[in-house]
Amino acid sequence: MNVMTTEPAREKNKISAKPGPYTIETVLSVKHYTDRLFHFRITRPAAFRFRSGEFIMIGLPKEDGKPLLRAYSVASPFWDEALDFYSIKVPDGPLTSRLQHIQEGDEILLGKKPVGTLVLDALKPGKRLYMVSTGTGIAPFASLIRDPETYEKFDEVILTHTCRELAELKYGEELVAATKEDELIGEMAREKLVHFTSVTRDDGPVKGRVTDMINSGELFDHLGVPAFDPAVDRVMICGSEGLLKDTRQICLDRGFVEGSNAAPADFVVEKAFVATD
C-alpha cells in the first residue's frame, strides 16, 4: 500500500510584543512583482484614520523583542477596509530582508500615528496636479489617485512613474487600470487621470529620466500640455533621493513655492516614503 506524505503546513509568524505605539495586524495577501518589488495587504484597525498620501511606521520585532520599524506610505485610499503597502527588497536590509518573506496569516506591527506632507491639504488650489514618482515612490499616489477629493480639486491629474525596467512598471499599470474601473471614482479617473511611464535601463516606449524630460520639455510634448507653470500647476514628488533633489530644484527654479501642512503652496516633497533597508 502506498502511503502519501505531505509537507507540514507552514507555521504562521505570530508576534508576541509588549504594548507600544503600534498594533499587531494580520497579513491578508502578498504579491511579488519582481525580485526587488512586492505588495502586501494587512488588516486595518477600526479606529485607524489617515489622509491619502500619508505614511505610517510598520515593521517586525527584532530578536531581542524590540520593534524594528520603518516608514511606509499607505498605498490604499482612506476609505478602504484594509491597508496596502508597496515595498522594495534589500537582501541585507534589517527589515526588508525579513519582510519580503511574509505570507498570508503572518503578523506585523503597525504604527498608530500617520503623518506626511504628500497630502492635498499642503497644496494651494490649481488646475493641473503632477505626481512625480520613481520606483516604490508611487505608493502614496496609489492612495491619492483613488481619493475623490483629488479629482474634485484638479481638472487634470498626471501620474508619472519612472523605473529601471519594464517589469517594475506593472504595479502602477495594474493600479491605474483598476482605478479607472472602480465604482467610486472610475468615471472621474477616466476623465482626468493620465499615466506616463518611462524606463532608464530597458528599451521601452519611452526611455529616460523624468527630470531630464522635464528640463528638455519632452515630458510636456508627450502629454500635450504646457511646461510647468506655478500659476496653474501643483507638484507632488516621491521617489529616490536623486529624484527628490532634482525635481525640487526644478520647481524652485521655475518659481514654485514649497508647501507644508501648515503653509499650503505649489509643490510638496516626501522624504520618508518607504523603508530603504
Side-chain angles (χ1 to χ4, degrees):
M1 180 176 66
N2 292 329
V3 178
M4 295 183 64
T5 60
T6 59
E7 291 293 328
R10 175 182 177 272
E11 183 178 348
K12 301 302 181 184
N13 292 327
K14 301 297 181 182
I15 295 174
S16 176
K18 297 178 181 179
Y22 45 77
T23 58
I24 299 175
E25 302 303 322
T26 302
V27 177
L28 299 174
S29 65
V30 183
K31 180 174 182 178
H32 295 266
Y33 282 88
T34 71
D35 58 0
R36 298 182 62 249
L37 301 168
F38 71 108
H39 164 272
F40 58 98
R41 186 169 173 85
I42 67 173
T43 53
R44 175 177 179 172
F48 187 83
R49 299 289 183 270
F50 71 98
R51 294 178 298 171
S52 298
E54 289 187 317
F55 66 84
I56 190 71
M57 303 301 289
I58 65 171
L60 297 167
K62 296 184 289 186
E63 292 183 1
D64 60 7
K66 295 181 180 179
L68 175 61
L69 303 168
R70 295 290 186 270
Y72 271 77
S73 289
V74 182
S76 46
F78 72 90
W79 46 261
D80 202 337
E81 61 185 13
L83 298 174
D84 291 340
F85 298 95
Y86 188 47
S87 179
I88 57 173
K89 307 175 188 179
V90 180
D92 57 351
L95 178 59
T96 59
S97 62
R98 297 168 54 205
L99 193 64
Q100 65 182 292
H101 299 298
I102 58 173
Q103 296 184 24
E104 180 181 343
D106 286 347
E107 293 180 338
I108 67 174
L109 302 172
L110 173 72
K112 295 181 178 180
K113 187 178 181 182
V115 293
T117 56
L118 287 185
V119 293
L120 296 173
D121 292 341
L123 293 175
K124 296 191 302 185
K127 176 182 178 182
R128 188 179 295 109
L129 174 61
Y130 285 89
M131 301 175 176
V132 182
S133 69
T134 56
T136 52
I138 194 176
F141 304 140
S143 177
L144 282 157
I145 66 169
R146 289 180 284 177
D147 189 331
E149 187 180 0
T150 301
Y151 302 102
E152 292 166 0
K153 287 192 169 185
F154 296 94
D155 296 335
E156 190 170 10
V157 178
I158 299 172
L159 170 64
T160 80
H161 191 206
T162 300
C163 295
R164 298 176 183 178
E165 304 165 1
L166 286 169
E168 297 174 343
L169 297 173
K170 187 175 181 181
Y171 169 76
E173 292 168 346
E174 291 182 351
L175 170 71
V176 170
T179 299
K180 291 186 176 182
E181 296 303 318
D182 187 88
E183 292 183 1
L184 177 64
I185 42 82
E187 184 177 352
M188 291 183 289
R190 288 192 295 273
E191 179 185 350
K192 296 185 176 184
L193 178 60
V194 176
H195 184 208
F196 174 85
T197 61
S198 66
V199 289
T200 57
R201 291 188 181 178
D202 283 350
D203 289 325
V206 180
K207 186 173 183 178
R209 299 183 183 280
V210 68
T211 46
D212 291 340
M213 287 185 276
I214 293 173
N215 282 323
S216 69
E218 181 183 352
L219 174 66
F220 310 107
D221 290 340
H222 280 292
L223 297 172
V225 297
F228 276 174
D229 180 355
V232 295
D233 294 329
R234 300 294 173 258
V235 184
M236 292 177 156
I237 311 162
C238 192
S240 66
E241 289 186 17
L243 176 83
L244 300 182
K245 178 183 176 182
D246 294 346
T247 312
R248 179 178 183 274
Q249 192 60 53
I250 287 171
C251 288
L252 292 173
D253 290 345
R254 284 159 176 74
F256 286 75
V257 176
E258 187 167 0
S260 67
N261 282 278
D266 306 323
F267 79 97
V268 286
V269 178
E270 188 59 82
K271 298 178 181 178
F273 69 101
V274 293
T276 54
D277 58 9

